[in-house]
Amino acid sequence: MTELSLNILDIAINSVKAKSKHIEISISEDIKHDLLSISVSDDGMGMSPDKLEAVRRRSLDECGNEHEGLGIPMLRHAAEIAGGTIEINSVLGMGTAVNADFEYKSRHRASIGSMSDTIVALISAAPPDTEIVYRHSACGSEFVFDTKVMRGILKDISIAEPEVLMWIGSYIKDGLSQAGISDIN
Amino acid sequence: MKSLAELDAIRDKVKNRLDLREVKEDRTRIVVGMATCGISAGARDVLVEFVKEIESRGLSGITVTQMGCIGLCSMEPIVEVHSPGMEKVIYANVTPEKADKIIAEHIIGGKPVEEFAIGAAQTGGM
């Protein structure tokens, strides 16, 4: 994957597959402490301790041709080459949380890329009643996007209507730039 | 900052358009493969391009959604088009440029783009 926003989309699609009703994505750019933190958490079906252990252990080389479950190893690789780590926690029936840390200034760190495209794609991909919250902070300012706010306005109109999605894309781009965050960084 | 009032106006516009249609016809579904293999191959940009084209051309009655891996990872991004009254068509190695052509020729023109389709594309029409 060429940008971290694609890894984020991939992990969040796992949350959709796990029948989550609520998916929360957080990005924190702490340049002062040279730390980029990304987390995706959900209230989906979660994993058993055995499954979780297998997911934690799975590496990119072990996967071979079997692409199923490659998403976590790819994110781990992206974090580790940039001096970071990932942590996965999951409770069966409760949900899963994936956290990845990166050295912000590492020259091996992939760029975040377009989060507006990732959120638009995720809304399209998820069942219409999925709540998606996206928080992005950098240098003391924060942008928060919450589908619940959008739904309050849209009422009986689907959030996945193309006109609505395009507006959401520009709303996120605009909100990030107001908060001093580039949508391609 | 973009105002949420704009979203309210979009809501009214979409609502009016949906109300105008007397019969609720079946929607066309554009389904993009969004497993890890699809996303790695560029599925996100393809999905966003479909949404953008549908919006900019003012098309209605079309849903863009996702599916998992169908075992053809090397052909990702894969897109299925399900139009009412037509066989589904599977497109392989789709790019944003190809997505534009699929919208113009298949979704609007009603004729599948055979050069991008895999298997026997049904061109019999409605």
Side-chain angles (χ1 to χ4, degrees), chain A residues 82-118:
Chain A
T85 54
I86 73 165
E87 192 186 320
I88 315 157
N89 290 297
S90 187
V91 178
L92 201 59
M94 298 288 283
T96 300
V98 177
N99 296 279
D101 287 344
F102 306 76
E103 280 176 16
Y104 193 89
K105 293 172 193 147
S106 166
R107 64 191 176 91
H108 299 294
R109 178 178 68 78
S111 63
I112 296 171
S114 175
M115 279 306 294
S116 58
D117 282 354
T118 278

PDB file of all heavy atoms in Angstrom, chain A residues 82-118:
ATOM      1  N   ALA A  82       9.236   2.312   9.945  1.00  0.00           N
ATOM      2  CA  ALA A  82       9.305   3.715  10.355  1.00  0.00           C
ATOM      3  C   ALA A  82       9.514   3.819  11.873  1.00  0.00           C
ATOM      4  O   ALA A  82       9.056   4.767  12.512  1.00  0.00           O
ATOM      5  CB  ALA A  82       8.027   4.448   9.928  1.00  0.00           C
ATOM      6  N   GLY A  83      10.182   2.829  12.455  1.00  0.00           N
ATOM      7  CA  GLY A  83      10.553   2.874  13.869  1.00  0.00           C
ATOM      8  C   GLY A  83       9.386   2.738  14.829  1.00  0.00           C
ATOM      9  O   GLY A  83       9.479   3.126  15.995  1.00  0.00           O
ATOM     10  N   GLY A  84       8.274   2.186  14.364  1.00  0.00           N
ATOM     11  CA  GLY A  84       7.080   2.091  15.215  1.00  0.00           C
ATOM     12  C   GLY A  84       6.659   0.670  15.496  1.00  0.00           C
ATOM     13  O   GLY A  84       7.397  -0.291  15.221  1.00  0.00           O
ATOM     14  N   THR A  85       5.485   0.533  16.062  1.00  0.00           N
ATOM     15  CA  THR A  85       4.943  -0.782  16.415  1.00  0.00           C
ATOM     16  C   THR A  85       3.432  -0.766  16.192  1.00  0.00           C
ATOM     17  O   THR A  85       2.833   0.300  16.078  1.00  0.00           O
ATOM     18  CB  THR A  85       5.134  -1.097  17.917  1.00  0.00           C
ATOM     19  OG1 THR A  85       4.582  -0.018  18.671  1.00  0.00           O
ATOM     20  CG2 THR A  85       6.568  -1.313  18.292  1.00  0.00           C
ATOM     21  N   ILE A  86       2.834  -1.948  16.183  1.00  0.00           N
ATOM     22  CA  ILE A  86       1.376  -1.971  16.249  1.00  0.00           C
ATOM     23  C   ILE A  86       0.912  -2.825  17.415  1.00  0.00           C
ATOM     24  O   ILE A  86       1.647  -3.698  17.906  1.00  0.00           O
ATOM     25  CB  ILE A  86       0.675  -2.426  14.940  1.00  0.00           C
ATOM     26  CG1 ILE A  86       0.806  -3.922  14.691  1.00  0.00           C
ATOM     27  CG2 ILE A  86       1.157  -1.639  13.742  1.00  0.00           C
ATOM     28  CD1 ILE A  86      -0.197  -4.382  13.625  1.00  0.00           C
ATOM     29  N   GLU A  87      -0.293  -2.532  17.850  1.00  0.00           N
ATOM     30  CA  GLU A  87      -0.867  -3.266  18.960  1.00  0.00           C
ATOM     31  C   GLU A  87      -2.309  -3.585  18.589  1.00  0.00           C
ATOM     32  O   GLU A  87      -3.019  -2.712  18.075  1.00  0.00           O
ATOM     33  CB  GLU A  87      -0.838  -2.356  20.200  1.00  0.00           C
ATOM     34  CG  GLU A  87      -1.141  -3.061  21.486  1.00  0.00           C
ATOM     35  CD  GLU A  87      -1.231  -2.064  22.647  1.00  0.00           C
ATOM     36  OE1 GLU A  87      -0.417  -1.121  22.701  1.00  0.00           O
ATOM     37  OE2 GLU A  87      -2.147  -2.236  23.462  1.00  0.00           O
ATOM     38  N   ILE A  88      -2.705  -4.821  18.802  1.00  0.00           N
ATOM     39  CA  ILE A  88      -4.087  -5.206  18.497  1.00  0.00           C
ATOM     40  C   ILE A  88      -4.717  -5.765  19.763  1.00  0.00           C
ATOM     41  O   ILE A  88      -4.145  -6.645  20.410  1.00  0.00           O
ATOM     42  CB  ILE A  88      -4.161  -6.318  17.424  1.00  0.00           C
ATOM     43  CG1 ILE A  88      -3.221  -6.011  16.267  1.00  0.00           C
ATOM     44  CG2 ILE A  88      -5.580  -6.508  16.916  1.00  0.00           C
ATOM     45  CD1 ILE A  88      -2.836  -7.244  15.488  1.00  0.00           C
ATOM     46  N   ASN A  89      -5.882  -5.251  20.100  1.00  0.00           N
ATOM     47  CA  ASN A  89      -6.623  -5.797  21.218  1.00  0.00           C
ATOM     48  C   ASN A  89      -8.013  -6.160  20.729  1.00  0.00           C
ATOM     49  O   ASN A  89      -8.586  -5.455  19.907  1.00  0.00           O
ATOM     50  CB  ASN A  89      -6.708  -4.777  22.357  1.00  0.00           C
ATOM     51  CG  ASN A  89      -5.353  -4.586  23.010  1.00  0.00           C
ATOM     52  OD1 ASN A  89      -4.795  -5.519  23.590  1.00  0.00           O
ATOM     53  ND2 ASN A  89      -4.781  -3.397  22.864  1.00  0.00           N
ATOM     54  N   SER A  90      -8.522  -7.266  21.238  1.00  0.00           N
ATOM     55  CA  SER A  90      -9.830  -7.695  20.777  1.00  0.00           C
ATOM     56  C   SER A  90     -10.496  -8.558  21.829  1.00  0.00           C
ATOM     57  O   SER A  90      -9.834  -9.342  22.514  1.00  0.00           O
ATOM     58  CB  SER A  90      -9.680  -8.496  19.482  1.00  0.00           C
ATOM     59  OG  SER A  90     -10.953  -8.767  18.938  1.00  0.00           O
ATOM     60  N   VAL A  91     -11.791  -8.386  21.974  1.00  0.00           N
ATOM     61  CA  VAL A  91     -12.557  -9.230  22.881  1.00  0.00           C
ATOM     62  C   VAL A  91     -13.750  -9.764  22.105  1.00  0.00           C
ATOM     63  O   VAL A  91     -14.477  -8.989  21.459  1.00  0.00           O
ATOM     64  CB  VAL A  91     -13.045  -8.441  24.125  1.00  0.00           C
ATOM     65  CG1 VAL A  91     -13.887  -9.336  25.031  1.00  0.00           C
ATOM     66  CG2 VAL A  91     -11.867  -7.851  24.890  1.00  0.00           C
ATOM     67  N   LEU A  92     -13.899 -11.067  22.137  1.00  0.00           N
ATOM     68  CA  LEU A  92     -14.986 -11.708  21.409  1.00  0.00           C
ATOM     69  C   LEU A  92     -16.333 -11.097  21.831  1.00  0.00           C
ATOM     70  O   LEU A  92     -16.620 -10.978  23.021  1.00  0.00           O
ATOM     71  CB  LEU A  92     -14.961 -13.214  21.693  1.00  0.00           C
ATOM     72  CG  LEU A  92     -15.673 -14.121  20.688  1.00  0.00           C
ATOM     73  CD1 LEU A  92     -15.095 -13.971  19.286  1.00  0.00           C
ATOM     74  CD2 LEU A  92     -15.597 -15.576  21.135  1.00  0.00           C
ATOM     75  N   GLY A  93     -17.091 -10.687  20.856  1.00  0.00           N
ATOM     76  CA  GLY A  93     -18.407 -10.103  21.132  1.00  0.00           C
ATOM     77  C   GLY A  93     -18.377  -8.633  21.515  1.00  0.00           C
ATOM     78  O   GLY A  93     -19.431  -8.011  21.691  1.00  0.00           O
ATOM     79  N   MET A  94     -17.175  -8.065  21.681  1.00  0.00           N
ATOM     80  CA  MET A  94     -17.079  -6.671  22.137  1.00  0.00           C
ATOM     81  C   MET A  94     -16.480  -5.739  21.085  1.00  0.00           C
ATOM     82  O   MET A  94     -16.875  -4.586  20.963  1.00  0.00           O
ATOM     83  CB  MET A  94     -16.199  -6.583  23.395  1.00  0.00           C
ATOM     84  CG  MET A  94     -16.720  -7.338  24.582  1.00  0.00           C
ATOM     85  SD  MET A  94     -18.164  -6.529  25.281  1.00  0.00           S
ATOM     86  CE  MET A  94     -17.369  -5.192  26.149  1.00  0.00           C
ATOM     87  N   GLY A  95     -15.488  -6.236  20.365  1.00  0.00           N
ATOM     88  CA  GLY A  95     -14.875  -5.383  19.351  1.00  0.00           C
ATOM     89  C   GLY A  95     -13.373  -5.540  19.287  1.00  0.00           C
ATOM     90  O   GLY A  95     -12.781  -6.329  20.029  1.00  0.00           O
ATOM     91  N   THR A  96     -12.796  -4.779  18.396  1.00  0.00           N
ATOM     92  CA  THR A  96     -11.357  -4.859  18.136  1.00  0.00           C
ATOM     93  C   THR A  96     -10.786  -3.453  18.044  1.00  0.00           C
ATOM     94  O   THR A  96     -11.460  -2.542  17.557  1.00  0.00           O
ATOM     95  CB  THR A  96     -11.116  -5.616  16.801  1.00  0.00           C
ATOM     96  OG1 THR A  96     -11.661  -6.934  16.932  1.00  0.00           O
ATOM     97  CG2 THR A  96      -9.631  -5.720  16.451  1.00  0.00           C
ATOM     98  N   ALA A  97      -9.560  -3.288  18.540  1.00  0.00           N
ATOM     99  CA  ALA A  97      -8.873  -1.999  18.397  1.00  0.00           C
ATOM    100  C   ALA A  97      -7.475  -2.256  17.858  1.00  0.00           C
ATOM    101  O   ALA A  97      -6.744  -3.111  18.355  1.00  0.00           O
ATOM    102  CB  ALA A  97      -8.804  -1.284  19.741  1.00  0.00           C
ATOM    103  N   VAL A  98      -7.125  -1.536  16.808  1.00  0.00           N
ATOM    104  CA  VAL A  98      -5.787  -1.640  16.223  1.00  0.00           C
ATOM    105  C   VAL A  98      -5.126  -0.277  16.367  1.00  0.00           C
ATOM    106  O   VAL A  98      -5.701   0.748  15.975  1.00  0.00           O
ATOM    107  CB  VAL A  98      -5.867  -2.016  14.721  1.00  0.00           C
ATOM    108  CG1 VAL A  98      -4.471  -2.056  14.101  1.00  0.00           C
ATOM    109  CG2 VAL A  98      -6.578  -3.348  14.534  1.00  0.00           C
ATOM    110  N   ASN A  99      -3.942  -0.256  16.981  1.00  0.00           N
ATOM    111  CA  ASN A  99      -3.191   0.996  17.119  1.00  0.00           C
ATOM    112  C   ASN A  99      -1.844   0.835  16.432  1.00  0.00           C
ATOM    113  O   ASN A  99      -1.182  -0.178  16.617  1.00  0.00           O
ATOM    114  CB  ASN A  99      -2.916   1.325  18.595  1.00  0.00           C
ATOM    115  CG  ASN A  99      -4.197   1.579  19.346  1.00  0.00           C
ATOM    116  OD1 ASN A  99      -4.763   2.665  19.284  1.00  0.00           O
ATOM    117  ND2 ASN A  99      -4.687   0.552  20.026  1.00  0.00           N
ATOM    118  N   ALA A 100      -1.459   1.835  15.688  1.00  0.00           N
ATOM    119  CA  ALA A 100      -0.140   1.808  15.050  1.00  0.00           C
ATOM    120  C   ALA A 100       0.576   3.119  15.339  1.00  0.00           C
ATOM    121  O   ALA A 100      -0.024   4.196  15.241  1.00  0.00           O
ATOM    122  CB  ALA A 100      -0.277   1.613  13.545  1.00  0.00           C
ATOM    123  N   ASP A 101       1.842   3.012  15.749  1.00  0.00           N
ATOM    124  CA  ASP A 101       2.675   4.193  15.986  1.00  0.00           C
ATOM    125  C   ASP A 101       3.800   4.236  14.959  1.00  0.00           C
ATOM    126  O   ASP A 101       4.298   3.190  14.547  1.00  0.00           O
ATOM    127  CB  ASP A 101       3.316   4.139  17.387  1.00  0.00           C
ATOM    128  CG  ASP A 101       2.295   4.399  18.476  1.00  0.00           C
ATOM    129  OD1 ASP A 101       1.201   4.915  18.151  1.00  0.00           O
ATOM    130  OD2 ASP A 101       2.600   4.085  19.637  1.00  0.00           O
ATOM    131  N   PHE A 102       4.193   5.434  14.590  1.00  0.00           N
ATOM    132  CA  PHE A 102       5.270   5.638  13.626  1.00  0.00           C
ATOM    133  C   PHE A 102       6.140   6.773  14.126  1.00  0.00           C
ATOM    134  O   PHE A 102       5.638   7.693  14.768  1.00  0.00           O
ATOM    135  CB  PHE A 102       4.719   6.085  12.256  1.00  0.00           C
ATOM    136  CG  PHE A 102       3.659   5.181  11.684  1.00  0.00           C
ATOM    137  CD1 PHE A 102       2.359   5.216  12.173  1.00  0.00           C
ATOM    138  CD2 PHE A 102       3.963   4.318  10.652  1.00  0.00           C
ATOM    139  CE1 PHE A 102       1.374   4.388  11.637  1.00  0.00           C
ATOM    140  CE2 PHE A 102       2.985   3.486  10.116  1.00  0.00           C
ATOM    141  CZ  PHE A 102       1.687   3.523  10.612  1.00  0.00           C
ATOM    142  N   GLU A 103       7.438   6.728  13.801  1.00  0.00           N
ATOM    143  CA  GLU A 103       8.252   7.926  14.005  1.00  0.00           C
ATOM    144  C   GLU A 103       7.807   8.909  12.931  1.00  0.00           C
ATOM    145  O   GLU A 103       7.912   8.621  11.742  1.00  0.00           O
ATOM    146  CB  GLU A 103       9.747   7.598  13.843  1.00  0.00           C
ATOM    147  CG  GLU A 103      10.347   6.964  15.084  1.00  0.00           C
ATOM    148  CD  GLU A 103      11.804   6.576  14.855  1.00  0.00           C
ATOM    149  OE1 GLU A 103      12.413   7.060  13.874  1.00  0.00           O
ATOM    150  OE2 GLU A 103      12.319   5.777  15.665  1.00  0.00           O
ATOM    151  N   TYR A 104       7.316  10.052  13.386  1.00  0.00           N
ATOM    152  CA  TYR A 104       6.724  11.001  12.438  1.00  0.00           C
ATOM    153  C   TYR A 104       7.699  11.373  11.337  1.00  0.00           C
ATOM    154  O   TYR A 104       7.363  11.411  10.170  1.00  0.00           O
ATOM    155  CB  TYR A 104       6.249  12.264  13.166  1.00  0.00           C
ATOM    156  CG  TYR A 104       5.372  13.121  12.295  1.00  0.00           C
ATOM    157  CD1 TYR A 104       3.997  12.927  12.256  1.00  0.00           C
ATOM    158  CD2 TYR A 104       5.920  14.104  11.472  1.00  0.00           C
ATOM    159  CE1 TYR A 104       3.191  13.683  11.432  1.00  0.00           C
ATOM    160  CE2 TYR A 104       5.122  14.863  10.638  1.00  0.00           C
ATOM    161  CZ  TYR A 104       3.759  14.655  10.627  1.00  0.00           C
ATOM    162  OH  TYR A 104       2.953  15.395   9.792  1.00  0.00           O
ATOM    163  N   LYS A 105       8.948  11.642  11.764  1.00  0.00           N
ATOM    164  CA  LYS A 105       9.910  12.195  10.798  1.00  0.00           C
ATOM    165  C   LYS A 105      10.728  11.129  10.081  1.00  0.00           C
ATOM    166  O   LYS A 105      11.601  11.463   9.279  1.00  0.00           O
ATOM    167  CB  LYS A 105      10.846  13.180  11.502  1.00  0.00           C
ATOM    168  CG  LYS A 105      10.107  14.429  11.989  1.00  0.00           C
ATOM    169  CD  LYS A 105      11.015  15.296  12.850  1.00  0.00           C
ATOM    170  CE  LYS A 105      10.210  16.347  13.599  1.00  0.00           C
ATOM    171  NZ  LYS A 105      10.792  16.652  14.914  1.00  0.00           N
ATOM    172  N   SER A 106      10.464   9.849  10.388  1.00  0.00           N
ATOM    173  CA  SER A 106      11.233   8.801   9.707  1.00  0.00           C
ATOM    174  C   SER A 106      11.074   8.933   8.200  1.00  0.00           C
ATOM    175  O   SER A 106       9.971   9.103   7.684  1.00  0.00           O
ATOM    176  CB  SER A 106      10.723   7.420  10.149  1.00  0.00           C
ATOM    177  OG  SER A 106      11.223   6.439   9.258  1.00  0.00           O
ATOM    178  N   ARG A 107      12.202   8.804   7.502  1.00  0.00           N
ATOM    179  CA  ARG A 107      12.101   8.936   6.042  1.00  0.00           C
ATOM    180  C   ARG A 107      11.475   7.690   5.433  1.00  0.00           C
ATOM    181  O   ARG A 107      11.144   7.667   4.256  1.00  0.00           O
ATOM    182  CB  ARG A 107      13.456   9.276   5.414  1.00  0.00           C
ATOM    183  CG  ARG A 107      14.504   8.206   5.580  1.00  0.00           C
ATOM    184  CD  ARG A 107      15.881   8.715   5.186  1.00  0.00           C
ATOM    185  NE  ARG A 107      16.871   7.700   5.442  1.00  0.00           N
ATOM    186  CZ  ARG A 107      17.243   6.795   4.541  1.00  0.00           C
ATOM    187  NH1 ARG A 107      16.709   6.793   3.348  1.00  0.00           N
ATOM    188  NH2 ARG A 107      18.153   5.890   4.859  1.00  0.00           N
ATOM    189  N   HIS A 108      11.325   6.623   6.242  1.00  0.00           N
ATOM    190  CA  HIS A 108      10.679   5.408   5.728  1.00  0.00           C
ATOM    191  C   HIS A 108       9.168   5.409   5.987  1.00  0.00           C
ATOM    192  O   HIS A 108       8.477   4.479   5.624  1.00  0.00           O
ATOM    193  CB  HIS A 108      11.304   4.166   6.367  1.00  0.00           C
ATOM    194  CG  HIS A 108      12.763   4.037   6.057  1.00  0.00           C
ATOM    195  ND1 HIS A 108      13.209   3.807   4.785  1.00  0.00           N
ATOM    196  CD2 HIS A 108      13.859   4.143   6.855  1.00  0.00           C
ATOM    197  CE1 HIS A 108      14.535   3.750   4.800  1.00  0.00           C
ATOM    198  NE2 HIS A 108      14.949   3.969   6.043  1.00  0.00           N
ATOM    199  N   ARG A 109       8.706   6.466   6.683  1.00  0.00           N
ATOM    200  CA  ARG A 109       7.265   6.491   6.969  1.00  0.00           C
ATOM    201  C   ARG A 109       6.493   6.874   5.704  1.00  0.00           C
ATOM    202  O   ARG A 109       6.803   7.862   5.054  1.00  0.00           O
ATOM    203  CB  ARG A 109       6.945   7.504   8.081  1.00  0.00           C
ATOM    204  CG  ARG A 109       5.443   7.587   8.348  1.00  0.00           C
ATOM    205  CD  ARG A 109       5.099   8.528   9.455  1.00  0.00           C
ATOM    206  NE  ARG A 109       5.332   9.936   9.166  1.00  0.00           N
ATOM    207  CZ  ARG A 109       4.512  10.693   8.421  1.00  0.00           C
ATOM    208  NH1 ARG A 109       3.442  10.171   7.858  1.00  0.00           N
ATOM    209  NH2 ARG A 109       4.793  11.962   8.227  1.00  0.00           N
ATOM    210  N   ALA A 110       5.468   6.078   5.397  1.00  0.00           N
ATOM    211  CA  ALA A 110       4.613   6.414   4.256  1.00  0.00           C
ATOM    212  C   ALA A 110       3.807   7.663   4.603  1.00  0.00           C
ATOM    213  O   ALA A 110       3.569   7.957   5.783  1.00  0.00           O
ATOM    214  CB  ALA A 110       3.673   5.249   3.951  1.00  0.00           C
ATOM    215  N   SER A 111       3.391   8.383   3.593  1.00  0.00           N
ATOM    216  CA  SER A 111       2.551   9.559   3.859  1.00  0.00           C
ATOM    217  C   SER A 111       1.154   9.081   4.254  1.00  0.00           C
ATOM    218  O   SER A 111       0.781   7.937   3.994  1.00  0.00           O
ATOM    219  CB  SER A 111       2.493  10.445   2.621  1.00  0.00           C
ATOM    220  OG  SER A 111       1.883   9.740   1.577  1.00  0.00           O
ATOM    221  N   ILE A 112       0.409   9.959   4.901  1.00  0.00           N
ATOM    222  CA  ILE A 112      -0.948   9.578   5.315  1.00  0.00           C
ATOM    223  C   ILE A 112      -1.843   9.466   4.085  1.00  0.00           C
ATOM    224  O   ILE A 112      -2.653   8.554   3.976  1.00  0.00           O
ATOM    225  CB  ILE A 112      -1.515  10.591   6.333  1.00  0.00           C
ATOM    226  CG1 ILE A 112      -0.671  10.558   7.619  1.00  0.00           C
ATOM    227  CG2 ILE A 112      -2.981  10.251   6.675  1.00  0.00           C
ATOM    228  CD1 ILE A 112      -0.997  11.655   8.609  1.00  0.00           C
ATOM    229  N   GLY A 113      -1.692  10.369   3.154  1.00  0.00           N
ATOM    230  CA  GLY A 113      -2.515  10.318   1.950  1.00  0.00           C
ATOM    231  C   GLY A 113      -3.896  10.901   2.187  1.00  0.00           C
ATOM    232  O   GLY A 113      -4.118  11.587   3.176  1.00  0.00           O
ATOM    233  N   SER A 114      -4.799  10.591   1.291  1.00  0.00           N
ATOM    234  CA  SER A 114      -6.100  11.258   1.338  1.00  0.00           C
ATOM    235  C   SER A 114      -7.092  10.572   2.271  1.00  0.00           C
ATOM    236  O   SER A 114      -7.684   9.554   1.939  1.00  0.00           O
ATOM    237  CB  SER A 114      -6.700  11.326  -0.065  1.00  0.00           C
ATOM    238  OG  SER A 114      -7.995  11.875   0.030  1.00  0.00           O
ATOM    239  N   MET A 115      -7.281  11.175   3.456  1.00  0.00           N
ATOM    240  CA  MET A 115      -8.282  10.635   4.378  1.00  0.00           C
ATOM    241  C   MET A 115      -9.696  10.947   3.898  1.00  0.00           C
ATOM    242  O   MET A 115     -10.634  10.222   4.210  1.00  0.00           O
ATOM    243  CB  MET A 115      -8.051  11.185   5.791  1.00  0.00           C
ATOM    244  CG  MET A 115      -6.968  10.461   6.556  1.00  0.00           C
ATOM    245  SD  MET A 115      -7.214   8.655   6.638  1.00  0.00           S
ATOM    246  CE  MET A 115      -8.711   8.536   7.626  1.00  0.00           C
ATOM    247  N   SER A 116      -9.872  12.022   3.132  1.00  0.00           N
ATOM    248  CA  SER A 116     -11.232  12.304   2.636  1.00  0.00           C
ATOM    249  C   SER A 116     -11.676  11.179   1.692  1.00  0.00           C
ATOM    250  O   SER A 116     -12.812  10.690   1.798  1.00  0.00           O
ATOM    251  CB  SER A 116     -11.293  13.670   1.950  1.00  0.00           C
ATOM    252  OG  SER A 116     -10.377  13.740   0.890  1.00  0.00           O
ATOM    253  N   ASP A 117     -10.786  10.708   0.821  1.00  0.00           N
ATOM    254  CA  ASP A 117     -11.144   9.585  -0.059  1.00  0.00           C
ATOM    255  C   ASP A 117     -11.404   8.313   0.751  1.00  0.00           C
ATOM    256  O   ASP A 117     -12.308   7.540   0.439  1.00  0.00           O
ATOM    257  CB  ASP A 117     -10.025   9.310  -1.086  1.00  0.00           C
ATOM    258  CG  ASP A 117     -10.044  10.314  -2.238  1.00  0.00           C
ATOM    259  OD1 ASP A 117     -10.982  11.138  -2.308  1.00  0.00           O
ATOM    260  OD2 ASP A 117      -9.114  10.268  -3.079  1.00  0.00           O
ATOM    261  N   THR A 118     -10.579   8.098   1.784  1.00  0.00           N
ATOM    262  CA  THR A 118     -10.768   6.902   2.614  1.00  0.00           C
ATOM    263  C   THR A 118     -12.127   6.914   3.309  1.00  0.00           C
ATOM    264  O   THR A 118     -12.829   5.904   3.332  1.00  0.00           O
ATOM    265  CB  THR A 118      -9.596   6.761   3.620  1.00  0.00           C
ATOM    266  OG1 THR A 118      -8.507   6.153   2.920  1.00  0.00           O
ATOM    267  CG2 THR A 118      -9.951   5.900   4.823  1.00  0.00           C
TER     268      THR A 118
END
